[in-house]
Amino acid sequence: MERTLKDLRLKENGKIIKINGSGPVKRRLMDMGVVRGTEVYVEKKAPLGDPIEVKIKGYSLTLRKEDAEKIIIE
């Protein structure tokens, strides 16, 4: 079963293995540094889990839950 960035718990980390989707959304994620092989760390989550703040490549990035579901984690 694939695990997505949305499934990571608070203060948990993972490694990006794939980004689902295509077109402008995938391109926007990749432009923000969300690329295969990158380590991510969940810093904060809103009470209902949307949005999620993660640390990628030394900076903080806030993602919507629907975007986090497209990022497959190892």
Side-chain angles (χ1 to χ4, degrees):
M1 183 172 150
E2 291 182 332
R3 210 167 152 209
T4 67
L5 181 58
K6 182 191 79 130
D7 301 325
L8 285 181
R9 294 182 185 152
L10 195 61
K11 309 299 180 191
E12 190 176 14
N13 61 359
K15 185 176 181 181
I16 298 169
I17 57 172
K18 183 179 176 185
I19 303 169
N20 288 331
S22 62
V25 174
K26 184 175 183 178
R27 182 76 242 169
R28 183 171 52 88
L29 289 171
M30 293 176 72
D31 288 345
M32 292 188 291
V34 181
V35 293
R36 194 170 83 187
T38 304
E39 294 283 334
V40 295
Y41 175 76
V42 178
E43 290 186 320
K44 298 177 188 171
K45 273 190 172 185
L48 297 177
D50 191 22
I52 301 169
E53 184 175 318
V54 297
K55 191 156 197 122
I56 294 180
K57 297 183 175 182
Y59 69 91
S60 296
L61 176 66
T62 303
L63 296 168
R64 293 178 294 173
K65 193 157 77 176
E66 67 183 57
D67 291 336
E69 287 176 334
K70 295 175 181 167
I71 301 167
I72 309 300
I73 298 293
E74 162 178 83

